[in-house]
Amino acid sequence: MVGKIKGTGSYRPVQVWDNDKLSHMMETSDEWIRGRTGIGQRHIASQGETVAYMAARAAGEALRDAEVRPEEIDLILVSTMSSERIMPCAACEVQKLIGATGATCFDLNSACTGFLLALNTAQAYLGQHIYKRALVIGAEVLSNLTNWQDRSTCVLFGDGAGAVVLEAEEDAVYIQATHSIGKGGDALTCTSRNQPEFVEKGTNLSATYMQMDGKEVFKFAVSKVPEVIFEVLEKAGKTKEEIRFYMLHQANQRIVSSVAKHMKEPLEKYPMNIERLGNTSSASIPLLLDEWKKRGKLNPGDWIVLSGFGGGLTYGASLMRW
Ligand code: ACO
């Protein structure tokens, strides 16, 4: 027994910053950003659009889509690395906001792979018959962790939230493969501001924003993502041709295109929305799932592969039947 996705939902902050806006804030251009990343605009959270608020909005939509009442949810998992509050966890705040009084709630952080790992965690609970219904949410206010003085990173990220309702079913299929490479962790870092050296006045705060070795991250993603997708296909006894969609973390259009090329599969099988949303870290996969579901592109019985990769370094792929 594993879980099947019964409903999806999303929340995009109201404010939208396009590349031209950024080109007035720093030395950059629409041409540079689009050419290197495929990003044309990103949503940026305003005051009140917190991780918990956006997560709750996305969760509410997913519950309505699944026709499940909040009280029927047993588990709420929020994947985030950008929650404004350390305590209480965002999942408990979501519980309060949506009235899911019977749920057990906790957060999980594994950067851009976080949503996939949260989904795997929920599947493990459902598979053990511990819970029947789970809400799994990816929510990020990355603009709080973005150094707006650093043009090499700030143009990449956006804010948003996506959610899925998972329900245990006898005939559901879910197979996963995940890996971590801790020794590569310095390629993507962000240090907590809650450290004596940063609390003191006049300290250089750049380490407390997201920092990245772009070329290393690129190399890591384009080599490991195809590898882990082939691993999960082999585990499942499926061929790459049987997969309807490969839904990858939206880090960069060039990474997605390169993975498609490595796998010798048509780019049409790799949905993308990075042009409109930027890189939303752990929110990107559920945002993409929700968009494709709303567009009517996912049919019952379709085989779908999800793949996340990012800080840690961490990466993984999961195969499911829609
Ligand atoms: N606008 C204009 N010029 C810029 C900008 C900008 N926003 N940022 C950097 N440049 C300049 C640099 O200063 C440099 O100039 P120089 O040649 O005069 O020194 C030049 O552009 C090239 O800079 P590079 O850093 O070498 O650019 P690169 O071609 O590597 O592209 C990028 C950078 C897009 C980040 C690339 O490395 C990449 O795609 N990396 C993948 C990582 C990624 O997508 N991370 C997302 C977050 S992590 C995750 O989600 C897993």
Side-chain angles (χ1 to χ4, degrees):
M1 168 103 72
V2 282
K4 193 176 172 92
I5 293 179
K6 290 289 184 179
T8 62
S10 60
Y11 182 83
R12 296 162 182 74
V14 176
Q15 198 180 179
V16 176
W17 289 9
D18 63 14
N19 292 342
D20 287 336
K21 178 175 171 74
L22 296 191
S23 72
H24 290 107
M25 293 164 61
M26 66 198 76
E27 211 183 312
T28 190
S29 63
D30 180 57
E31 192 192 357
W32 193 97
I33 302 169
R34 274 183 198 276
R36 304 273 168 138
T37 69
I39 298 166
Q41 62 171 46
R42 70 286 293 142
H43 290 248
I44 300 289
S46 304
Q47 207 181 3
E49 290 179 312
T50 61
V51 163
Y53 172 81
M54 297 196 305
R57 289 288 300 266
E61 211 180 82
L63 286 171
R64 283 190 293 281
D65 186 39
E67 299 182 0
V68 166
R69 285 178 290 116
E71 313 85 71
E72 293 177 302
I73 293 292
D74 307 310
L75 173 70
I76 301 177
L77 289 182
V78 175
S79 163
T80 187
M81 62 171 175
S82 52
S83 196
E84 296 80 1
R85 281 177 129 179
I86 293 168
M87 198 167 56
C89 65
C92 277
E93 293 196 75
V94 170
Q95 177 191 34
K96 184 171 71 177
L97 288 166
I98 66 172
T101 44
T104 292
C105 310
F106 62 97
D107 291 359
L108 185 151
N109 169 14
S110 193
C112 307
T113 318
F115 177 78
L116 200 74
L117 292 173
L119 200 58
N120 291 353
T121 307
Q123 290 287 19
Y125 277 105
L126 267 51
Q128 290 296 309
H129 304 267
I130 297 168
Y131 301 126
K132 190 165 171 22
R133 289 186 200 88
L135 248 176
V136 185
I137 308 166
E140 304 284 6
V141 180
L142 297 178
S143 54
N144 285 342
L145 303 180
T146 300
N147 184 352
W148 294 101
Q149 313 296 320
D150 176 9
R151 67 177 181 168
S152 69
T153 55
C154 73
V155 301
L156 304 173
F157 301 104
D159 302 333
V164 302
V165 172
L166 210 58
E167 191 170 282
E169 263 191 19
E170 281 302 341
D171 66 345
V173 180
Y174 188 85
I175 293 148
Q176 50 109 349
T178 57
H179 300 281
S180 300
I181 315 172
K183 67 174 186 209
D186 285 345
L188 266 165
T189 58
C190 184
T191 304
S192 165
R193 263 160 237 182
N194 211 2
Q195 303 282 328
E197 70 228 72
F198 300 124
V199 173
E200 281 166 30
K201 272 191 183 159
T203 310
N204 178 4
L205 287 174
S206 60
T208 69
Y209 295 108
M210 287 182 288
Q211 296 189 313
M212 155 182 99
D213 180 338
K215 289 191 170 62
E216 275 308 308
V217 175
F218 195 94
K219 275 195 282 181
F220 150 70
V222 300
S223 68
K224 294 298 179 189
V225 173
E227 211 174 279
V228 77
I229 292 177
F230 279 124
E231 183 184 338
V232 88
L233 288 174
E234 197 181 322
K235 263 188 175 181
K238 293 268 158 226
T239 63
K240 61 188 171 97
E241 290 79 15
E242 289 176 85
I243 304 305
R244 176 94 202 277
F245 289 119
Y246 295 93
M247 303 230 167
L248 269 49
H249 162 51
Q250 303 286 289
N252 186 312
Q253 199 176 77
R254 288 192 307 157
I255 292 178
V256 179
S257 309
S258 173
V259 170
K261 206 167 147 194
H262 268 67
M263 295 205 51
K264 298 192 174 62
E265 281 284 86
L267 198 54
E268 301 78 63
K269 289 173 82 170
Y270 293 77
M272 281 192 255
N273 59 10
I274 192 168
E275 197 272 333
R276 283 167 284 117
L277 298 181
N279 177 348
T280 57
S281 188
S282 69
S284 76
I285 293 176
L287 276 164
L288 195 61
L289 267 176
D290 181 57
E291 189 175 328
W292 251 244
K293 183 171 189 287
K294 281 179 178 147
R295 285 197 195 184
K297 288 181 178 284
L298 299 169
N299 300 311
D302 282 349
W303 292 99
I304 311 283
V305 168
L306 310 180
S307 180
F309 50 93
L313 299 166
T314 53
Y315 61 104
S318 297
L319 186 146
M320 68 175 79
R321 190 167 55 206
W322 194 255

